[in-house]
Every structure is written in C-alpha cells, then in structure tokens.
Amino acid sequence: MYYVKNVRNGKEITDPAINLAIEYHLLNNVVLDEPILLFYINEPSIIIGRNQNTIEEINTDYVEKKNIHVVRRFSGGGAVYHDFGVFCFCFITKDDGDSFRDFGKFTEPIIDSLHKMGVEGAKLEGRNDLLINGQKFSGNAMYSKNGRMTAHGTIMFDSDIEEVVNALKVRKDKIESKGIKSIRSRVTNIKPYLSDDYQFLSTKEFRDRLLLNIFDVNTPEEVKEYELTEEDWKQIENLSEKYFNNWDWNYGKSPKFELVRRHRFSIGSVEFKMNVDKGFIQDIRIYGDFFGLGDISDVEEKLNGVKYDAASISEALDETDIKKYFGNITKEELVHLIY
C-alpha cells in the first residue's frame, strides 16, 4: 500500500475542496500496483453526501455566519461536520466486484489500530458507523468509478461537538431510527478512550500514530509513499474548480416541488420530490443518504415524463438495476414510495 501526503510546498492542505479533489484525482488518474491510503484534516466544513439536498441538511444562517465550507462529495451517505479535531482516511483500490458496501473490509485496519491504542470497545455497527459504548465516532462512505473504488471515513478525535449540533440539521426520522433523542447523545470523540500514553496527542499526532499502526512500522521513513507531482497538482486544482469549489455542484439548482415522498429504509433514507403536470411526472429529483453505485440522475431520467400511476412507474423501472442505484431494496418498495 502507498501513502499519499496532502502537502504542497511544505504546507499541509486543510481546504476541503482541495482535499476532496486530491481524493478524486487519485481515484481517476493515479493507478499504482497497490492500494492507496490518503489522510487529511479539514478546516471547519460540512461535507454533503452525493444524493443529498444541501439546503435541507445545513443550518444556513449559522454556516454563513461562521464561514463554514459546504462541499459535496462523490459518495453517498449523510452530511458530516469536519473541523481540526476530525481526521479523514481514504482507501483507494481496484473494485473487485465484492467490496462495495463492505465497510468492514476497509474499517478493520482503523479498528485494529485503535485497539492497539487502548480503544478496545471500538467496532463497526449498522450500515457504516464506528461506535464505542453505543456512540458514533466515525461515519464511512464509498463510491466507485471505472473499475476503481474509494472507501473513506472520518474519525472524531477531539471535535467541537457543539459545532456539530449547531451546523447540521438532523432529520427526526434518522434520530428515531437510532433509538436516541439527540445528536449530543449519539456522537462522541475518541480521544477520552485512548490509553494514558496517547491522551496528550494532537489530532495530527494521533493521525501519524495511526499511520504507523496501519503500516505496522516504527518510523515514518518506513512508510511507502507516492509523492504528488506538479502535474498531479494541476489536475487536482482543475477538479477542485470544476466540482468542489462550484456552487452548482455543492448546492445545485432545483425547482419548487409539489409532491414529496420520503421513507427511511434499512439502506438509508430515500426521498422523491416531483411535480405532476396533467397526470405526468415532471422535474423529479431523488435525494437520500443511501449508497449507490450509479449516477442517480439515470433513474430520474427514466421517471421524468412518466404517467403518475403505479403501473406506469413500475414499467418505467423494469430495466433498472435497483440494487445498483439504491442498495438492497426492491422495485416494488420504490414504486410504493413514489405513488
């Protein structure tokens, strides 16, 4: 495995638009003979899931007042808050056809490393969360393109949990599905659970210790690295401008919708917003924190202009691989939700 530092001209990058561009560049343009590992720490920001409606996920007034970055990523899942007390890990590898949605495969090295540092209760629970004592300290997501895939996640090491509460909106159905009453009782930092030897680490020092554990080495010099070139940086900057620094990508334009159909399945929330004109579906958009392999706009195109009745909707989805786009739900469940 190769490790990639997000450092340019001796300075570590904390801009989330650049860090996500590095990740996307490594997936698309850097093919090595072994998997790639990328770590990064972002300045205060909200990272939105690929299929989410940004405005409905953030407290806009608070985000603007605090100058918090809002950036959409390519993977599904929910919105997460980053600050200097959160660090992100990213594994990039060949998509072998069996690993997508297998979060255990990619979180195991993280969990094993945490166990070595005294966090013995850390484990994967549910779809994609790492928990300790029933509290979440890490959320994970994936995306795949051209036979390669990214599995990435966050670790709340020493984050300001009040800022998480202030910056994000969390839907009532999501909280209720976890059997809890508030964000504060749902999340935790991992630092208090580290053994005494690691209690005084900064986020960066914790990240560096975790790196040595994952590579099973004693010094940073023993870690195999791929160093980003000036050509790499040129492409990274282009990707940042095209996507992660682009308002249309991060927020997106959408019409006002007269019909909203939403349900929380085991694979996450799925929401259809649409207008119906003279009995036909118009302007349909699909949102949610599910994990899909395909571009959800493919499904939107199949449904746009379809007669708004169950039979027509079902027929329009006949040739669609529902599990590819949404996960383990059926066409019948989707039709029932829409209609």
Side-chain angles (χ1 to χ4, degrees):
M1 183 160 60
Y2 291 87
Y3 177 58
V4 174
K5 289 182 179 178
N6 63 328
V7 173
R8 189 177 193 186
N9 299 325
K11 185 177 181 180
E12 186 171 323
I13 306 297
T14 60
D15 181 344
I18 296 294
N19 281 327
L20 283 169
I22 294 172
E23 182 181 308
Y24 196 54
H25 170 69
L26 292 173
L27 175 71
N28 286 280
N29 303 317
V30 180
V31 180
L32 305 177
D33 56 345
E34 295 180 28
I36 298 171
L37 174 63
L38 171 70
F39 286 163
Y40 54 86
I41 297 169
N42 287 327
E43 54 206 61
S45 51
I46 296 174
I47 311 301
I48 301 291
R50 175 67 178 89
N51 300 310
Q52 291 189 296
N53 186 339
T54 300
I55 294 298
E56 294 185 356
E57 300 296 331
I58 67 173
N59 287 326
T60 305
D61 291 343
Y62 189 84
V63 166
E64 292 180 352
K65 177 182 176 182
K66 293 287 187 175
N67 293 316
I68 297 171
H69 298 275
V70 177
V71 183
R72 185 185 300 279
R73 63 182 186 266
F74 271 93
S75 61
V80 289
Y81 177 78
H82 293 187
D83 61 17
F84 291 112
V86 175
F87 107 89
C88 307
F89 60 89
C90 173
F91 293 96
I92 299 168
T93 187
K94 180 180 178 181
D95 185 355
D96 59 12
D98 296 318
S99 296
F100 196 80
R101 302 189 185 95
D102 182 1
F103 289 100
K105 178 176 180 178
F106 295 98
T107 57
E108 184 178 0
I110 302 296
I111 293 172
D112 289 346
S113 297
L114 289 172
H115 288 174
K116 292 176 182 177
M117 300 172 76
V119 192
E120 297 179 357
K123 58 184 177 180
L124 175 68
E125 290 191 17
R127 282 192 309 160
N128 61 321
D129 294 339
L130 299 186
L131 275 65
I132 184 166
N133 295 338
Q135 291 181 295
K136 174 180 175 179
F137 65 88
S138 171
N140 294 268
M142 295 183 181
Y143 62 103
S144 178
K145 186 176 181 182
N146 298 330
R148 286 163 59 76
M149 65 174 290
T150 293
H152 54 187
T154 57
I155 292 183
M156 292 178 63
F157 175 70
D158 194 18
S159 182
D160 186 342
I161 292 178
E162 281 303 312
E163 288 297 275
V164 179
V165 175
N166 292 331
L168 290 174
K169 295 177 184 176
V170 179
R171 290 180 182 270
K172 185 180 179 183
D173 64 342
K174 185 166 187 175
I175 291 293
E176 289 177 344
S177 75
K178 305 292 185 180
I180 55 168
K181 293 183 179 180
S182 72
I183 304 174
R184 291 178 184 85
S185 64
R186 165 70 174 151
V187 300
T188 186
N189 285 311
I190 204 67
K191 185 175 182 177
Y193 295 95
L194 296 172
S195 59
D196 291 343
D197 292 342
Y198 304 107
Q199 278 298 315
F200 301 100
L201 295 181
S202 67
T203 308
K204 288 184 179 181
E205 291 168 337
F206 167 73
R207 173 202 63 194
D208 294 343
R209 181 68 253 179
L210 207 66
L211 177 68
L212 297 183
N213 287 343
I214 290 174
F215 277 83
D216 195 22
V217 297
N218 296 314
T219 65
E221 291 73 24
E222 297 174 83
V223 175
K224 182 163 37 175
E225 290 188 20
Y226 171 82
E227 186 173 347
L228 294 169
T229 66
E230 279 306 306
E231 179 59 32
D232 287 323
W233 283 111
K234 186 183 299 183
Q235 294 185 59
I236 288 164
E237 289 172 348
N238 289 338
L239 288 171
S240 178
E241 290 304 310
K242 182 177 180 180
Y243 295 108
F244 311 110
N245 256 324
N246 183 330
W247 188 93
D248 283 342
W249 169 258
N250 292 326
Y251 283 83
K253 299 175 182 177
S254 61
K256 293 182 178 180
F257 298 98
E258 61 186 36
L259 288 179
V260 179
R261 300 286 185 263
R262 177 184 171 87
H263 184 70
R264 186 160 194 86
F265 298 95
S266 61
I267 52 88
S269 66
V270 180
E271 180 177 61
F272 289 88
K273 290 191 172 187
M274 70 198 93
N275 293 319
V276 177
D277 183 26
K278 298 178 180 178
F280 290 85
I281 296 172
Q282 305 293 333
D283 304 319
I284 189 166
R285 293 292 300 272
I286 304 171
Y287 298 105
D289 60 3
F290 52 89
F291 295 102
L293 270 169
D295 189 332
I296 203 66
S297 64
D298 296 343
V299 182
E300 293 170 345
E301 288 174 10
K302 286 180 178 290
L303 292 171
N304 208 37
V306 169
K307 188 177 180 181
Y308 187 61
D309 64 44
S312 299
I313 294 168
S314 179
E315 183 180 355
L317 295 174
D318 272 347
E319 303 301 320
T320 301
D321 185 347
I322 299 299
K323 291 186 177 181
K324 171 184 174 182
Y325 289 98
F326 294 93
N328 193 27
I329 59 174
T330 65
K331 182 184 76 170
E332 288 72 26
E333 288 175 304
L334 282 186
V335 173
H336 181 71
L337 174 58
I338 297 169
Y339 193 69

